[in-house]
Amino acid sequence: MKSTALIKPYFIENRVPIFFGLVCLIIVDLLQLFIPRILKWAIDDLTALQIDSKGLFFYSAWMVGIALMIGIFRYLWRRCLLGTSRRVEEGLRNRFFAHIQILSVSYFDKAKTGDLMAHATNDIQQIRMATGMGMVALNDSIVLGMASIGFMAYINIKLTLLVLIPMPLIVMGTLFFSKKMHKRYMEVQGAFSDLTEVVRERFAGIRIIKAYNLQSFETKKVEVISKKYVNKNLGLVKIVGSFFPMMLLFSNISLAIVLYFGGRQAILLTITPGDFVAFLSYLGILTWPMMALGWVTNLIQRGRASLDRLNRILQIQPEIADMPDAKPVHRIKGGIIFENVSYSYKRDVFPVLSKIDINLEPGKILGIVGPPGSGKTTFLSLIPRLYDVSHGRILLDNKDVKSIQISGLRSRISFVSQEPFLFAGTVRENIALGNNNIKKDELIRASALASLYETIKSFPDGFDTVTGEKGVILSGGQKQRIALARAFLQDTPILILDDPISQVDLETGALIIQSIRAMAGKRTVIIVSHRLSAVMLADQIITLDKGSIVESGTHARLMENNRYYAKTFRLQEIEEGLGA
Amino acid sequence: MKTDFGYFEEQKLGKPYDVRLLRRLYPYAVPYKVMLFWSIILIICITLLDLSLPYVTKIAIDRYIVPQTDAIKARLTKGPESKSRYLIADISDPEIRIVVNKYRELFTIKETDARISYEKLGSLEKEDLAVLRKDDFAGLGVLTAIFLVIILVNFGLSFIQKMIMEYAGYMIMHDLRMKLFAQIQKLSIEFFTKNPVGRLVTRVTNDIQNMHELFTSVISIVFKDLFLLLGIAIVLISMNWKLAIVSFMVLPFVLYASIVFSGRAREVFRDLRIKVAEINTRFSETIEGIRVIQLFRCEENNFHNFKGLNHENYLAGMRQIRVLAAFMPLIEILGVFAVALVIFYGGNNVISGGLSLGALVAFVAYIKMFFRPIRDLAEKYNILQNAMASAERIFLLLDSRSMLPQVAFGSQNSASNLNVIKEISFENVSFNYVPGEIVLSGISFKVGEGEILAVVGPTGSGKTSLINLITRFYDPVSGLVCINGRDIREFETSIFRSKMALVMQEPFLFSGTVRENILKGKKDLSEQELENILKVSNCKDFIDRLPEGLDTMLVSGGASISSGERQLVSIAKAFAGDPQLILFDEATSFIDSQTEIEIQKALNNLMNRRTSIIVAHRLSTIRSADKIIVLSKGRIIETGTHSKLMDKKGFYFKLNQLQNQTASASILH
């Protein structure tokens, strides 16, 4: 798809104001041409001394009247045309936001937040400028350009043709420079993205920067990127800085042509000196459209560069989408089967998971343990289709998860991520997540299950406590329990917990595990934990290592096995004074 | 309207003080004053060249094309019998003599000059006329050549001026950006909990960018336009001061309109600046929370919220259009009004004979010229308003004093030399984030060199806050945090932080290679040492599995490796700094017990003579600690070694029992 197709719908949607605005703009242009006429009449009448004070007042009043009309129409076109550009801005940004939200998680593994932020503000603003002022400048250069060329042709066609000699140069120059401008604007916008990201990352990691005294080190990093941004801009200025004077140069060359050839013709009396002077003044009018043309080229190239950048992201299809014949889910019992499942993030690297076979019956609990990087989180992410399996398949109630509508699938799963993510908002908002008609007792029930209710009660504002960005004002354990309450609030047949008690103390952890265990039979639970107390009661426990299941069975079986699980268990057991 | 997402609102700003803002910006321009000076000189040259072009045209017309009587008396003299113009031909030139001889009857010959009436020129053949006026052709050619030279020079100067100006502008922006960035970095952690990252990023990127035009186009246009304005005003006054004053009558209105609109425009621009920051914040939050959004299917709700915010931005934008759409035409109307005044008043003078018609025409032409720079200035005035709205926000940050006082006790008294951290002690420390909500209270303890202190306690009991006080992210409300017995506030933060290593609960890695993340600018580490660090921090295994090993690029947030692996990298980073004090704030929560034990061993070996303070939930981690502090609700409820605490059969014992119970319950199960 061409990137210009992106803004087309907004032009169509706003065709009435655009049309009206352009008409107003043309009226303004024509009225502006009219004022010198009145001036001429007034001067002519004064020359002939055929006018009195009243007549002069009449002319002056006319001028003021026309000026008022110009003012009104100018106000109208500004509102219509620039207003449309604001619509384009709003629409594109909404579209961009909506698009970002449907992209797969794998996209965000690579994407840079700052880069996307730059797209959402800087680039979309550039597009707005290009559409708004671009339309105006384009219209002006066409209308005024045509008008002045028309007037000139009326006086002398041959001279007009001579004046237009630089035209092909202008067209060629514009094309040449447009290409360069577009490329350089892409670079400048890209550098702006980098700058946004480098700054964002530093502020996000401010604690590490402070703790490790990295201020000057990180400042240097930002400085490098900021310098790069400056250099890219200066590279662009070389083009733009020569382009604008060049447009003026070309229109001045036209003036020189008129001076020489028109002057000769006037000397030879082919044209009258009056014609010559008039010709010169119309050429003067042509200067603005020429400048506007330069301006419009610049604006449009900048907008196009941004549009191309935006389009590049909008073109990305979510890797994970509903199959055309995906079916909605109705009732789910919660049986989960992994059939020979393998997964790798990139084709050429080690598989993160390989040949996983699991059969988990509804209402059962699966516990997963294993060293860091063994694929536990990936395993969990495959079930709600945050990623799709590379090989094999995952069955939910004997149906391939890929054949189920994603929203339906996810609505049957409650998922607690390893690192809890909180939105800026209140505790209530973070637990309810947009579900505004949640009842207070449901909130209490969910937070009680997560051993959170007592904590919330201790907050002066209770559920209305503001959490700050990413929950900065809360402790790690509090954030984790909010994420748990969020999952418990939803009564789904499947519950997936990724290391859910890693940041809470033992006592609280034990209470949470009790809550989870009480769900056995009603919900299928998959739980990853490094604390074996959380998984030991599972119906089935697997140990993952380097992407493969190295052992599986019940606690008792694995203890007999005397491998990773048993070793870890003993470590925790002995170290924690459990004794034999 | 619901766009407050629980952040601290941005401060509303009062009356704008542009002059003060400009004065504050001035120091940033000083390093480039030579450039700016030359740029202004060039602007003046360019303006002069611009103005000279019509003059060249005028000379061409007056001297060669339509010779005027007064302009070239030498060449045209009035004939005795009529008032018509004559063209004088020099018949000493043989070519001209041939032409003159051809049309003898049209010429009157006087010595070497042949005169021909201007009206009769039309009856000559074109070629003959060309021969007759070849000097005019030559003159025209010369003038055209001059004209071409001027426009080429103008082109060259414009380019140079633009380059100088843009260079200076971008460098000033760069300097300002770096200053702002460095300043924000200095602000206290508390500041960062109140300001979302998106907002701060907007200030450093979009807002600085917004000010760029202030330094480039505005400065050049203002100088050029003011220069023009002054010149034309002088011309107008010298031509006819009464008429000039009449036409200047509109100027107070222009001024008044500018002031009224600037106030309104500023409000709108301020709104826009805030909205842009909010949009950035929403984007950043959505991107980082995308998993939760998708898993909990909040897309629609989140989109709805964003749409509301985006629409507010649109409405602010429309307000801006409305304000400016009224302002610009108003200035134009005032311009035409001035012309109308001149026509009316001046025309009456012409009628009464007080003014020549030519003077009136010239006056009108100049008045029109006069209003062009005014319009330009008005246009730039808006850019200025926009830039000022950004400048206000930027200076607000630069002025922010929300940092912790540095070396509060005069320099001679300050303990600038800290070689070894021998002891960390808390003396009756109390702390809260919000007054009234006690986080820590009456905390006292000591950790000596080479000791391991473990901090345990339920979530929210103040463990992380305690660590935050040691790194001096915050200052205690009362009591003292001491290093080697001296108040921590007597040291420069960089001095003691450089001897500490903090591993946080949520590992944060920067985008870059694994190596960069571990070394963080330290170059004096040999490959062998690095290898060793990787081994003891248990990173080696997984790094070997990465496609490019240590040089594998991590994206920000480090999504490409698992949380546990990120903790391992953070631990490696801590080791790489060769710190004297290690602070582990649940640094191993995402790591399994076996790996943890190995890291523990490394800590014990590596941390010989090094002090460590460890916060952990899994009791296995802390068993070998020299001292254990049990925190509950911000107070120390128990202290001692593992065995001592177990004997005490208090809270710690209970915690252990609990783990015991869950474990044994399962065995029975």
Side-chain angles (χ1 to χ4, degrees):
Chain A
M1 188 174 76
K2 277 188 73 175
S3 39
T4 39
L6 276 182
I7 46 172
K8 216 167 133 191
Y10 304 104
F11 281 110
I12 294 170
E13 178 198 310
N14 292 293
R15 58 187 182 275
V16 178
I18 289 177
F19 178 75
F20 185 68
L22 287 177
V23 168
C24 289
L25 190 57
I26 291 169
I27 291 175
V28 168
D29 284 344
L30 295 179
L31 285 176
Q32 270 179 315
L33 292 172
F34 198 58
I35 286 194
R37 300 303 298 171
I38 301 178
L39 215 60
K40 183 189 169 307
W41 293 335
I43 301 283
D44 283 351
D45 285 356
L46 275 173
T47 316
L49 290 175
Q50 284 170 343
I51 195 164
D52 53 5
S53 190
K54 221 169 120 190
L56 277 175
F57 181 77
F58 178 72
Y59 279 132
S60 304
W62 254 110
M63 281 176 71
V64 172
I66 287 175
L68 280 175
M69 301 250 290
I70 289 178
I72 290 165
F73 281 112
R74 188 167 274 155
Y75 177 81
L76 288 175
W77 77 244
R78 273 183 176 261
R79 282 212 52 179
C80 291
L81 296 183
L82 301 184
T84 300
S85 72
R86 286 273 173 196
R87 278 260 173 243
V88 172
E89 181 191 16
E90 187 191 16
L92 270 183
R93 192 175 286 129
N94 277 341
R95 175 149 178 215
F96 185 61
F97 189 86
H99 181 75
I100 292 284
Q101 285 203 124
I102 60 157
L103 285 179
S104 313
V105 165
S106 57
Y107 174 77
F108 295 94
D109 290 344
K110 289 165 281 170
K112 292 181 172 160
T113 311
D115 179 47
L116 296 175
M117 283 160 73
H119 277 86
T121 51
N122 191 42
D123 283 302
I124 291 182
Q125 280 167 0
Q126 309 292 13
I127 296 169
R128 180 195 81 219
M129 309 252 266
T131 48
M133 285 321 283
M135 265 194 292
V136 174
L138 193 64
N139 181 76
D140 266 13
S141 56
I142 291 172
V143 172
L144 286 180
M146 296 302 254
S148 44
I149 289 173
F151 282 124
M152 286 191 290
Y154 178 71
I155 295 171
N156 187 318
I157 288 181
K158 213 170 125 195
L159 206 51
T160 310
L161 290 176
L162 282 173
V163 163
L164 296 180
I165 283 177
M167 269 298 178
L169 282 179
I170 290 173
V171 172
M172 270 158 55
T174 308
L175 286 179
F176 176 76
F177 278 97
S178 295
K179 243 191 187 151
K180 292 218 155 191
M181 250 184 241
H182 182 258
K183 190 170 152 276
R184 304 239 166 141
Y185 267 123
M186 288 288 268
E187 289 173 8
V188 165
Q189 252 81 290
F192 188 84
S193 275
D194 291 347
L195 183 67
T196 310
E197 172 62 11
V198 78
V199 170
R200 186 201 66 82
E201 204 177 56
R202 260 95 217 135
F203 289 157
I206 189 71
R207 283 173 178 77
I208 285 294
I209 290 176
K210 281 181 181 284
Y212 283 82
N213 257 331
L214 297 169
Q215 284 93 338
S216 55
F217 177 71
E218 299 300 342
T219 305
K220 259 183 222 117
K221 285 208 155 171
V222 174
E223 179 140 29
V224 169
I225 304 284
S226 176
K227 268 272 165 61
K228 194 182 118 204
Y229 177 62
V230 169
N231 288 335
K232 291 285 175 208
N233 267 299
L234 291 177
L236 173 72
V237 169
K238 275 183 208 148
I239 299 294
V240 178
S242 53
F243 183 65
F244 275 82
M246 198 187 75
M247 294 304 276
L248 191 66
L249 180 72
F250 282 137
S251 74
N252 278 337
I253 286 176
S254 290
L255 212 58
I257 289 173
V258 171
L259 192 63
Y260 189 70
F261 293 101
R264 276 179 81 102
Q265 289 194 5
I267 288 173
L268 293 178
L269 301 177
T270 312
I271 57 172
T272 69
D275 283 346
F276 175 70
V277 172
F279 210 86
L280 279 182
S281 61
Y282 280 118
L283 202 56
I285 300 179
L286 196 60
T287 313
W288 160 240
M290 296 280 277
M291 292 302 287
L293 200 66
W295 204 39
V296 91
T297 313
N298 184 39
L299 271 176
I300 285 179
Q301 287 315 322
R302 188 164 70 180
R304 250 193 59 205
S306 286
L307 204 57
D308 283 352
R309 278 165 50 80
L310 202 64
N311 195 31
R312 222 155 44 187
I313 293 181
L314 289 176
Q315 286 301 299
I316 298 169
Q317 292 300 318
E319 273 174 37
I320 294 165
D322 281 336
M323 305 269 264
D325 53 350
K327 290 184 179 60
V329 272
H330 300 294
R331 274 188 53 81
I332 276 191
K333 281 186 279 173
I336 296 170
I337 298 171
F338 275 53
E339 273 184 9
N340 196 24
V341 168
S342 296
Y343 181 79
S344 49
Y345 285 94
K346 271 192 232 154
R347 249 177 292 122
D348 50 339
V349 294
F350 289 87
V352 181
L353 286 176
S354 58
K355 302 203 172 90
I356 303 288
D357 281 296
I358 289 279
N359 187 348
L360 187 63
E361 282 164 32
K364 297 286 185 194
I365 300 179
L366 172 69
I368 304 176
V369 294
S374 56
K376 303 181 294 295
T377 300
T378 308
F379 180 99
L380 299 183
S381 305
L382 292 176
I383 300 167
R385 288 187 73 196
L386 286 180
Y387 303 96
D388 269 345
V389 294
S390 308
H391 294 288
R393 46 184 203 152
I394 297 171
L395 305 175
L396 178 62
D397 285 355
N398 289 319
K399 271 184 262 162
D400 192 333
V401 287
K402 285 185 183 172
S403 71
I404 304 171
Q405 281 177 0
I406 293 171
S407 67
L409 171 70
R410 291 182 183 162
S411 72
R412 299 306 189 272
I413 299 172
S414 298
F415 198 111
V416 177
S417 310
Q418 191 169 25
E419 287 170 70
F421 186 91
L422 262 60
F423 296 93
T426 63
V427 171
R428 180 199 308 275
E429 284 165 345
N430 266 294
I431 295 175
L433 279 187
N435 189 349
N436 294 325
N437 5 313
I438 215 85
K439 287 193 199 84
K440 176 104 184 194
D441 54 318
E442 282 180 85
L443 270 180
I444 293 174
R445 182 190 59 87
S447 31
L449 283 175
S451 289
L452 180 68
Y453 187 52
E454 291 302 315
T455 312
I456 289 176
K457 273 205 291 192
S458 75
F459 294 154
D461 296 329
F463 280 108
D464 295 316
T465 304
V466 169
T467 59
E469 190 176 38
K470 289 193 196 171
V472 274
I473 68 155
L474 301 173
S475 80
Q478 288 165 345
K479 279 187 270 187
Q480 195 159 40
R481 282 178 292 153
I482 288 178
L484 275 165
R486 190 189 274 168
F488 291 155
L489 185 67
Q490 311 197 330
D491 208 9
T492 56
I494 297 168
L495 181 61
I496 296 176
L497 305 160
D498 191 356
D499 218 355
I501 53 166
S502 60
Q503 299 184 0
V504 299
D505 61 277
L506 291 172
E507 191 177 6
T508 317
L511 290 172
I512 293 170
I513 294 301
Q514 264 176 24
S515 304
I516 295 168
R517 214 162 50 195
M519 295 168 194
K522 285 171 274 179
R523 306 171 89 175
T524 309
V525 180
I526 302 180
I527 180 165
V528 165
S529 184
H530 289 305
R531 290 198 204 163
L532 296 195
S533 55
V535 296
M536 64 203 300
L537 299 172
D539 299 291
Q540 193 181 349
I541 303 166
I542 57 171
T543 302
L544 282 176
D545 191 17
K546 295 184 177 118
S548 304
I549 298 178
V550 290
E551 54 179 344
S552 82
T554 59
H555 173 77
R557 272 274 301 281
L558 292 178
M559 287 308 287
E560 282 166 27
N561 227 345
N562 204 18
R563 289 168 66 183
Y564 178 89
Y565 181 85
K567 277 183 198 156
T568 306
F569 187 83
R570 285 201 195 96
L571 262 176
Q572 295 190 354
E573 193 179 40
I574 294 163
E575 288 285 321
E576 283 154 22
L578 290 168
Chain B
M1 216 168 284
K2 199 193 165 315
T3 45
D4 164 23
F5 296 98
Y7 301 121
F8 295 78
E9 275 292 310
E10 284 205 73
Q11 208 175 317
K12 283 264 181 236
L13 295 167
K15 217 170 153 263
Y17 289 105
D18 289 347
V19 180
R20 219 177 59 194
L21 278 175
L22 283 174
R23 209 162 50 216
R24 295 203 53 184
L25 281 171
Y26 175 72
Y28 294 94
V30 168
Y32 305 97
K33 61 175 180 231
V34 178
M35 279 187 204
L36 292 174
F37 173 76
W38 278 109
S39 180
I40 290 168
I41 296 286
L42 281 174
I43 288 171
I44 293 171
C45 293
I46 292 163
T47 312
L48 287 176
L49 287 178
D50 276 347
L51 291 176
S52 70
L53 287 179
Y55 190 70
V56 172
T57 317
K58 179 188 168 295
I59 293 176
I61 295 169
D62 286 351
R63 202 172 282 177
Y64 304 114
I65 299 169
V66 193
Q68 301 283 308
T69 26
D70 54 344
I72 27 166
K73 283 202 174 90
R75 292 181 61 89
L76 281 173
T77 43
K78 283 172 186 168
E81 68 279 76
S82 75
K83 283 196 166 185
S84 61
R85 287 169 178 163
Y86 281 87
L87 182 75
I88 302 165
D90 179 7
I91 48 172
S92 60
D93 186 317
E95 280 184 63
I96 293 178
R97 191 163 340 135
I98 294 168
V99 175
V100 171
N101 286 337
K102 193 172 167 189
Y103 303 96
R104 277 294 333 205
E105 68 286 359
L106 299 175
F107 287 89
T108 38
I109 297 172
K110 237 186 205 176
E111 293 163 35
T112 56
D113 286 350
R115 294 173 179 215
I116 177 166
S117 141
Y118 205 75
E119 287 80 38
K120 289 178 188 158
L121 281 175
S123 38
L124 267 67
E125 300 257 339
K126 291 278 178 227
E127 304 88 66
D128 298 333
L129 189 57
V131 170
L132 201 60
R133 299 194 66 177
K134 65 180 181 185
D135 283 352
D136 286 340
F137 280 167
L140 189 64
V142 168
L143 276 183
T144 309
I146 291 172
F147 191 93
L148 280 171
V149 168
I150 291 175
I151 61 177
L152 282 172
V153 169
N154 201 359
F155 171 71
L157 290 185
S158 299
F159 178 69
I160 294 169
Q161 189 271 334
K162 182 105 180 149
M163 285 306 291
I164 294 178
M165 201 69 211
E166 293 281 341
Y167 179 78
Y170 278 112
M171 286 316 288
I172 292 170
M173 289 302 100
H174 172 76
D175 294 350
L176 189 59
R177 181 180 301 124
M178 292 319 297
K179 171 103 196 253
L180 182 62
F181 177 79
Q183 162 74 11
I184 293 177
Q185 259 193 345
K186 274 192 211 138
L187 295 175
S188 65
I189 293 294
E190 193 189 356
F191 176 85
F192 286 91
T193 60
K194 286 183 182 165
N195 288 277
V197 169
R199 180 188 298 168
L200 301 176
V201 171
T202 311
R203 299 291 166 255
V204 179
T205 57
N206 301 58
D207 277 315
I208 297 270
Q209 173 61 24
N210 224 11
M211 288 179 62
H212 174 253
E213 277 205 79
L214 177 72
F215 281 96
T216 54
S217 45
V218 171
I219 288 184
S220 59
I221 298 264
V222 163
F223 273 95
K224 189 174 175 174
D225 287 343
L226 286 181
F227 184 73
L228 268 177
L229 219 53
L230 204 69
I232 299 167
I234 290 169
V235 171
L236 285 175
I237 291 170
S238 61
M239 274 174 77
N240 188 323
W241 65 271
K242 272 191 208 155
L243 204 50
I245 285 172
V246 169
S247 53
F248 290 162
M249 265 164 47
V250 296
L251 289 184
F253 292 101
V254 172
L255 210 63
Y256 179 72
S258 307
I259 290 167
V260 168
F261 278 97
S262 78
R264 287 220 239 151
R266 180 67 67 86
E267 268 319 302
V268 175
F269 279 125
R270 281 170 173 175
D271 273 2
L272 278 170
R273 297 325 305 156
I274 293 176
K275 291 297 168 221
V276 169
E278 281 179 16
I279 286 170
N280 262 337
T281 305
R282 288 301 288 167
F283 257 90
S284 123
E285 190 176 52
T286 300
I287 292 159
E288 273 159 46
I290 193 74
R291 279 162 195 266
V292 174
I293 290 172
Q294 292 194 348
L295 284 171
F296 287 83
R297 297 162 322 284
C298 310
E299 290 98 333
E300 228 167 277
N301 188 46
N302 196 38
F303 180 68
H304 179 79
N305 283 345
F306 176 77
K307 215 169 146 184
L309 170 65
N310 198 20
H311 193 66
E312 281 174 36
N313 180 61
Y314 166 79
L315 292 178
M318 287 310 282
R319 271 207 305 286
Q320 177 225 5
I321 289 171
R322 273 201 297 278
V323 170
L324 296 188
F327 177 61
M328 298 303 295
L330 189 68
I331 297 295
E332 297 252 353
I333 291 172
L334 287 172
V336 177
F337 197 71
V339 175
L341 268 180
V342 169
I343 288 286
F344 180 67
Y345 181 81
N348 274 324
N349 271 351
V350 170
I351 295 169
S352 63
L355 190 74
S356 79
L357 184 60
L360 181 68
V361 173
F363 212 91
V364 169
Y366 275 115
I367 284 285
K368 281 165 112 185
M369 272 175 83
F370 189 67
F371 267 85
R372 186 179 287 260
I374 286 186
R375 203 180 53 190
D376 270 2
L377 283 173
E379 186 102 43
K380 297 299 157 187
Y381 197 62
N382 294 315
I383 295 175
L384 193 76
Q385 288 305 319
N386 191 8
M388 286 298 176
S390 287
E392 285 175 342
R393 295 281 157 202
I394 288 165
F395 282 118
L396 208 64
L397 280 177
L398 283 177
D399 290 343
S400 174
R401 289 283 159 263
S402 67
M403 8 183 165
L404 300 176
Q406 288 286 315
V407 195
F409 305 77
S411 51
Q412 72 274 36
N413 206 3
S414 75
S416 53
N417 50 336
L418 175 75
N419 292 323
V420 185
I421 297 180
K422 293 203 178 86
E423 186 194 71
I424 297 280
S425 57
F426 274 48
E427 290 170 24
N428 202 21
V429 168
S430 295
F431 176 66
N432 58 42
Y433 294 100
V434 186
E437 284 177 46
I438 295 158
V439 176
L440 291 173
S441 122
I443 304 284
S444 299
F445 66 85
K446 266 190 188 137
V447 202
E449 197 180 352
E451 283 186 336
I452 299 177
L453 172 78
V455 184
V456 295
T459 58
S461 58
K463 303 182 294 295
T464 301
S465 302
L466 191 139
I467 299 283
N468 282 345
L469 294 180
I470 300 174
T471 53
R472 208 178 164 218
F473 282 169
Y474 298 88
D475 276 340
V477 176
S478 67
L480 287 179
V481 177
C482 298
I483 298 177
N484 298 351
R486 301 193 69 159
D487 189 340
I488 195 169
R489 284 173 288 196
E490 290 179 39
F491 300 96
E492 286 225 26
T493 47
S494 61
I495 288 180
F496 60 82
R497 281 182 190 161
S498 67
K499 294 179 171 51
M500 296 177 178
L502 168 70
V503 185
M504 295 189 301
Q505 223 165 27
E506 284 158 61
F508 185 94
L509 300 183
F510 291 92
S511 49
T513 63
V514 179
R515 186 194 303 274
E516 284 168 355
N517 264 294
I518 293 174
L519 293 182
K520 270 291 157 203
K522 272 185 203 65
K523 291 189 185 89
D524 51 355
L525 217 62
S526 71
E527 276 304 301
Q528 188 51 49
E529 283 171 301
L530 180 61
E531 192 76 0
N532 196 34
I533 284 166
L534 294 183
K535 215 190 275 160
V536 296
S537 57
N538 271 57
C539 283
K540 206 165 160 21
D541 256 15
F542 92 84
I543 288 175
D544 285 345
R545 262 184 290 145
L546 292 174
E548 281 149 79
L550 263 177
D551 295 310
T552 306
M553 283 295 284
L554 301 177
V555 291
S556 76
S560 34
I561 57 175
S562 79
S563 306
E565 288 164 339
R566 273 187 288 149
Q567 275 188 337
L568 294 179
V569 172
S570 301
I571 290 168
K573 170 159 72 180
F575 288 167
D578 193 21
Q580 297 171 359
L581 174 66
I582 287 205
L583 303 167
F584 269 21
D585 186 1
E586 286 179 47
T588 51
S589 57
F590 300 140
I591 298 168
D592 68 318
S593 295
Q594 296 191 24
T595 314
E596 192 184 22
I597 290 290
E598 284 173 46
I599 290 171
Q600 196 67 46
K601 276 185 207 150
L603 256 181
N604 290 342
N605 300 333
L606 208 79
M607 296 300 106
N608 244 339
R609 283 181 46 78
R610 286 187 181 112
T611 316
S612 31
I613 298 177
I614 296 171
V615 172
H617 284 307
R618 266 179 282 167
L619 300 181
S620 54
T621 328
I622 54 175
R623 213 174 165 239
S624 55
D626 296 300
K627 197 189 275 176
I628 297 167
I629 291 178
V630 183
L631 277 183
S632 176
K633 291 178 181 153
R635 290 170 194 279
I636 296 180
I637 53 169
E638 284 172 34
T639 26
T641 59
H642 173 75
S643 51
K644 238 165 109 185
L645 288 174
M646 288 303 284
D647 291 344
K648 211 173 172 183
K649 298 210 173 359
F651 190 84
Y652 183 78
F653 176 77
K654 238 176 65 197
L655 278 182
N656 275 290
Q657 281 298 104
L658 203 91
Q659 202 146 16
N660 189 342
Q661 275 165 20
T662 8
S664 35
S666 71
I667 294 165
L668 296 174
H669 188 64

